[in-house]
Amino acid sequence: MKVAVAQQPDGDVAAQLTETIAAIDGLSLVDRAAAEVLLAVDDAALRAAVDGDDDRPLLRLAATDDETAADRSTLLSRLATHAATTVPTISRRVLSVQVGDTAARAVRDCAIVTTDPARISEYRVVADDATLTAFRADGVVVATPVGTASYSRAAGGPRLAPDTGLAVVPIAPFAMTADQWVVRPPLTLRVERDDDVSVFADGSRVTSGGGGLTVAVSVAGAVTVVDRRRLAEGGRNWKNSNESSPHD
């Protein structure tokens, strides 16, 4: 199996990854153009691969304490047992995040948060040309099923199975209870108060603004990722599973 790193990670992780690949029979590190599978280490590499419109499978690897060097070695060893045609993959939605003339794409989530800490603004969510919900909060996050295992979950949102929709989750809502929604895109987020807010796509800042700022969220295609769960479970059928991996 020929692999390449989609975007070079920081020093220690890069060196460990090179050593790990060299030690695994059936795996070779090659130039990106010749690779059959791309390795995406953390969100920056994932976004770079998505922005590059590459249709080869991406294997998501974490550079944090969530995944040790031994974990990565085990996962890559399982990858090496496959041919390019037998690697288990799954398609994941890519979102378009549009604010006026500014656009970005996201695999995990889109978030609007007040620029100044501990500030509250008011947000309106519109789907199918009707108001779905409105609330006061520090912010709001719209997460794909992949993203519901990370920031959205930390905000109290649900975990979603693949292709079930998008989770709309208020961040620190100014209410004893606040609704959360699972909706089909497209949808629109609108800032109702004149507070300065920032818009993020997969953790990267897109733009900022105040009252009246509108964020349109829609589907902008898909990315093919290696299904880590089927690699780890030796082919177990996860088609109907209601669990999602943070590294899918």
Side-chain angles (χ1 to χ4, degrees):
M1 172 73 67
K2 298 175 183 178
V3 300
V5 179
Q7 181 171 297
Q8 199 70 6
D10 292 337
D12 289 345
V13 174
Q16 290 174 359
L17 191 56
T18 299
E19 292 175 2
T20 298
I21 293 170
I24 296 174
D25 290 337
L27 214 61
S28 58
L29 187 63
V30 299
D31 290 338
R32 178 167 176 158
E36 296 164 319
V37 172
L38 297 178
L39 307 179
V41 181
D42 268 352
D43 286 344
L46 185 63
R47 287 194 302 272
V50 169
D51 289 341
D53 288 321
D54 203 308
D55 59 1
R56 287 171 293 183
L58 293 166
L59 176 57
R60 171 77 164 83
L61 301 173
T64 67
D65 291 339
D66 292 336
E67 188 169 82
T68 66
D71 293 330
R72 290 193 290 271
S73 178
T74 298
L75 192 65
L76 289 168
S77 294
R78 289 174 177 144
L79 177 67
T81 66
H82 289 269
T85 55
T86 66
V87 173
T89 62
I90 190 168
S91 180
R92 296 299 198 187
R93 287 174 176 166
V94 175
L95 298 181
S96 167
V97 179
Q98 186 82 35
V99 187
D101 294 332
T102 302
R105 294 198 289 179
V107 175
R108 294 185 177 279
D109 54 47
C110 163
I112 309 176
V113 296
T114 50
T115 302
D116 295 327
R119 294 283 296 179
I120 291 175
S121 192
E122 185 171 346
Y123 305 91
R124 183 175 300 275
V125 182
V126 177
D128 295 327
D129 297 322
T131 296
L132 186 67
T133 183
F135 50 85
R136 296 175 66 194
D138 287 0
V140 56
V141 57
V142 176
T144 67
V146 172
T148 59
S150 14
Y151 184 49
S152 166
R153 189 183 186 195
R159 297 286 293 272
L160 298 184
D163 298 324
T164 50
L166 305 177
V168 180
V169 182
I171 301 170
F174 188 68
M176 292 298 294
T177 60
D179 289 334
Q180 300 174 0
W181 296 82
V182 179
V183 301
R184 290 284 183 182
L187 62 119
T188 300
L189 308 173
R190 179 181 171 86
V191 180
E192 297 288 288
R193 291 176 56 178
D194 194 18
D195 298 289
D196 192 54
V197 300
S198 296
V199 181
F200 295 87
D202 284 348
S204 291
R205 185 179 175 279
V206 177
T207 188
S208 61
L213 180 142
T214 299
V215 181
V217 180
S218 59
V219 175
V223 60
T224 301
V225 299
V226 175
D227 191 334
R228 291 167 49 113
R229 296 163 298 177
R230 280 192 280 160
L231 278 182
E233 297 293 336
R236 175 181 171 184
N237 181 7
W238 284 83
K239 182 177 180 181
N240 296 314
S241 171
N242 65 355
E243 295 188 16
S244 56
S245 164
H247 307 310
D248 282 353

